[in-house]
Amino acid sequence: MASVSDPGGGNKKKPSGGADSASGAPQVRLDTTETEKLEMFQPYLSCLKDNGVPIQRAGGGTNAAGKIAGDPSQYWYPSVDVSKYPAAEKKCGGKRPLPPPELDPRTNPDYLDQFRAQIECLNREGLKVDGLPDGSGWNYRGESSLSAAEQGRIENKCRMEAFGGDD
């Protein structure tokens, strides 16, 4: 079974992008689209590339999971462990977009309750997962008959339902 960390998104009330955090790094929101998120990551990815991390260009179209693979003129997320490049990580880390505060247990006192609600929603919608006890992600229970696009739609719906509030 694969473990999956809950992917980011962004906060419903502000437009995407921009240096919204105190550190100056862009703040991903719960409703940030994959396209917007990739755009937000470009300064960070470019910095990594300039500092010796092997970074490829995005291929356009969609990836194997059915998610947008980005504009070919953009950089794509690294397929290597960036922690193996400590100098680049130190130099570029401040440019890395921050996850939504709602998805950070350090900034969201209701995180575990909302995470459990997300797991309930995923199961109710047919994704069949077991949440990890620490709230860091989930394990799939067997193969899913849902398409990658449908799984992504369910994940987004449940993340917004659990963490996005009622507005």
Side-chain angles (χ1 to χ4, degrees):
M1 283 188 203
S3 289
V4 175
S5 293
D6 190 8
N11 179 348
K12 294 178 7 178
K13 295 182 174 133
K14 292 182 0 192
S16 294
D20 297 335
S21 71
S23 72
Q27 179 77 61
V28 177
R29 299 179 348 260
L30 283 174
D31 65 349
T32 300
T33 67
E34 288 299 317
T35 301
E36 291 167 333
K37 188 174 171 184
L38 184 59
E39 182 67 32
M40 293 169 78
F41 267 86
Q42 291 306 298
Y44 172 68
L45 297 172
S46 180
C47 181
L48 290 177
K49 175 107 173 131
D50 292 346
N51 286 278
V53 178
I55 303 287
Q56 303 297 317
R57 294 274 179 190
T62 57
N63 64 18
K67 299 203 177 186
I68 188 145
D71 180 325
S73 69
Q74 294 180 315
Y75 290 113
W76 190 246
Y77 305 108
S79 58
V80 297
D81 182 356
V82 176
S83 69
K84 293 182 180 179
Y85 299 84
E89 183 64 9
K90 182 177 181 181
K91 187 166 186 173
C92 304
K95 296 179 181 187
R96 181 184 179 104
L98 301 171
E102 298 91 343
L103 300 180
D104 186 344
R106 296 169 298 174
T107 58
N108 180 357
D110 300 320
Y111 177 82
L112 281 176
D113 288 338
Q114 291 172 324
F115 173 77
R116 285 188 281 274
Q118 180 184 23
I119 296 300
E120 287 176 19
C121 176
L122 292 169
N123 282 294
R124 182 178 66 245
E125 294 292 323
L127 208 46
K128 305 306 176 212
V129 298
D130 292 318
L132 300 177
D134 65 357
S136 64
W138 58 80
N139 289 324
Y140 290 99
R141 284 187 269 144
E143 294 291 319
S144 174
S145 62
L146 300 171
S147 70
E150 184 64 8
Q151 288 180 34
R153 184 197 67 74
I154 291 169
E155 288 173 13
N156 289 335
K157 173 188 185 296
C158 292
R159 182 177 49 247
M160 289 301 293
E161 183 179 300
F163 291 97
D166 297 324
D167 48 339

